[in-house]
Amino acid sequence: MRWTLKPKPDLQKVKQLASELNVEELIATLLVQRGIETFEQARSFFRPSLDDLHDPYLMQDMDKAVARIEKAVAQGENILVFGDYDVDGTTAVSLMSSYLRSFYPNVATYIPDRYAEGYGVSFKGIDFADDNGCSLIIALDCGIKSIDKVLYAKEKNIDFIICDHHRPGDTLPDAVAVLDPKRQDCHYPYKELCGCGVGFKVIQALAQNRNQTITDLLPYLDLVATAIAADIVPITGENRVLAKFGLEVINANPRPGIKALIQNIKKQTLTITDVVFVIAPRINAAGRIKHGNYAVELLTEFNLEQAAEFASQIEMFNADRKDLDKQITKEALEQIRIKEEDKRFTTVVYQEDWHKGVIGIVASRLTETYYRPTLVFTKSGDKLAASARSVKDFDVYNALEACSDYLEQFGGHMYAAGLTLKEKDYENFKKHFEKVVSETIHPDLLVPEISIDAEMELQAIDPKFFRILKQFEPFGPENMTPVFMAEKLNDTGYGKTIGQDEEHLRLYVKQQGEEPGFAAIGFGLADKINLTENRKSFDAAFSIDENEWNGNVSLQLRLRDIKPH
């Protein structure tokens, strides 16, 4: 494990901000590291406001998209809302379809079958639109590379509006409107929206035509916050505003579908982390195991009893997903061990009967184990399909682009992508991918990193400090939970391993024997207990959180790693 201490920001800026905000310099340091240097920026950060949302018409083609939707409504056309089968896609379809249906009935939805059709806009989906007399398709979280599909639709007199956030290729589809903040000619001020976020900007623009305010759109933000959390987009700028207000909706008055999913959680206030680990996997399980339509049905159902029924189905899909994920991960790890492929710069595994719905999760698990750019392949029709996952700071999308001669199609982001290829090209692709990565990755990136925000003394930790830290939420990419480092710690003799398999570490630590002392928990760190025995001095990387026990709430250290001082 590599410990990397972030560079200390400009001391003058830190002192100035600390003085303006009347906070400790350590808090000001964390803010300046996150690009917050003025009182105004700090106010926007700590008190996100719906007024901070940008004008949707700043997005390239928004005027064209709105005009075409209004024309469809005025002329009584049938509209098909099309989206990908993951959380971002199904929440986006639920958002767009339920908003349109609030004033117009002729709206249908379509989620492609993960297995029969694969990712993105499909010919089958366009045929469905044609068979059902739909003359407008609104594609969400997909479509930016669907040049041939949009052309096919055009031949059938079906128009397309594309709302995507993936990286465009060299040529854009010939659609009525292509909304994507990552378009090079799009000057929208915030580039990191997810697909559901782009969909929200469309309904924000439509709402202006109906004399609705942003307050009228609040009930849709539970969907947007769920997509932001699940798609691992930066929680900065506009995403921070949408996530914060969306979380408030999830906690106060979520739609029946989300309410049914979270009713068994014994927590008063859900955080973004809970959305990532509780809500998102269940919504995803529908498309992975059965069909993404189940997720859309759940998220657009307004009867609580019916929603509870849908949620119990999805709970079963999620249980199946967990079993498959466990089994395939085990088989993949075994494959790597037998072939001794842990010496390589990449992890590429393939088995034809692996369930296509969980290969992305398995790729993430393998990345955690071997910490390499990772591809997990399975058979998909007459081709092979794979999910790619990367390690911190390495762009797997660029690496795949360098191998595009061997690929049928690929798409995605820096850290996650999907691809298909012909079976005959698999071995050559595998060799070339290893070559590209080995020539472009810095060896340091193959060792997991703990990024430490700042060094601190334990005596600086008190309820006021923690209260301010809490206001940094919601946490996520580019605003991660602050991690600190403290030196010369000792366990006061309470150190022990805990957990079903004794895999966690529990300590009570002081700094150089002085008060205050704090309970500390290190998940998966039981093998480090010898570093703390006999009051040995050690350094710790940790975040600060609350521990609730028998009704008492106290601050504790959540250990990320420890090493000898």
Side-chain angles (χ1 to χ4, degrees), residues 466-520:
F466 183 68
R467 256 197 321 276
I468 298 172
L469 271 193
K470 287 275 288 178
Q471 291 176 45
F472 279 57
E473 293 178 352
F475 296 122
E478 293 182 32
N479 177 38
M480 300 302 275
T481 305
V483 175
F484 304 102
M485 180 177 110
E487 296 185 319
K488 297 181 185 169
L489 303 184
N490 312 97
D491 175 54
T492 56
Y494 291 92
K496 59 178 181 180
T497 56
I498 57 171
Q500 213 175 342
D501 300 319
E502 302 276 314
E503 70 271 43
H504 311 309
L505 181 61
R506 180 105 184 139
L507 307 171
Y508 190 84
V509 300
K510 290 184 178 177
Q511 197 161 25
Q512 294 183 299
E514 291 179 16
E515 294 293 341
F518 290 94

Side-chain angles (χ1 to χ4, degrees), residues 344-346 373 394 431-443 446:
R344 298 161 63 95
F345 286 84
T346 60
F394 184 75
K431 283 185 192 123
H432 195 62
F433 183 65
E434 170 72 15
K435 182 172 183 283
V436 167
V437 174
S438 67
E439 288 169 357
T440 54
I441 197 164
H442 191 284
L446 299 173

Side-chain angles (χ1 to χ4, degrees), residues 3-8 449-455 483 485:
W3 292 20
T4 309
L5 194 58
K6 287 183 188 168
K8 284 185 178 167
E449 176 194 44
I450 292 179
S451 184
I452 295 165
D453 292 80
E455 294 182 58
V483 175
M485 180 177 110

Side-chain angles (χ1 to χ4, degrees), residues 67 110 115 161 238 280 302 323 346 375 434 466 484 518 523:
Y110 191 95
Y115 309 104
I161 293 169
E238 208 166 28
F302 288 97
D323 291 344
T346 60
L375 296 176
E434 170 72 15
F466 183 68
F484 304 102
F518 290 94
F523 293 106

Side-chain angles (χ1 to χ4, degrees), residues 400-441:
L400 291 173
E401 202 162 35
C403 304
S404 56
D405 287 354
Y406 299 101
L407 301 178
E408 291 280 290
Q409 64 179 120
F410 73 100
H413 307 282
M414 177 170 178
Y415 291 123
L419 58 139
T420 55
L421 50 71
K422 290 180 177 150
E423 193 162 5
K424 68 177 178 63
D425 292 327
Y426 173 72
E427 287 300 336
N428 287 335
F429 163 78
K430 188 175 169 178
K431 283 185 192 123
H432 195 62
F433 183 65
E434 170 72 15
K435 182 172 183 283
V436 167
V437 174
S438 67
E439 288 169 357
T440 54
I441 197 164

Side-chain angles (χ1 to χ4, degrees), residues 98 146 155 157 176 178 232 249 259 264 306 400 443 523 543 545 548 556 563:
S98 56
S146 302
E155 289 163 4
N157 295 316
V176 170
V178 178
I232 323 288
V249 176
K259 195 174 190 171
N264 296 327
Q306 186 60 57
L400 291 173
F523 293 106
S543 50
D545 67 10
E548 201 173 321
Q556 71 172 0
K563 60 184 184 184

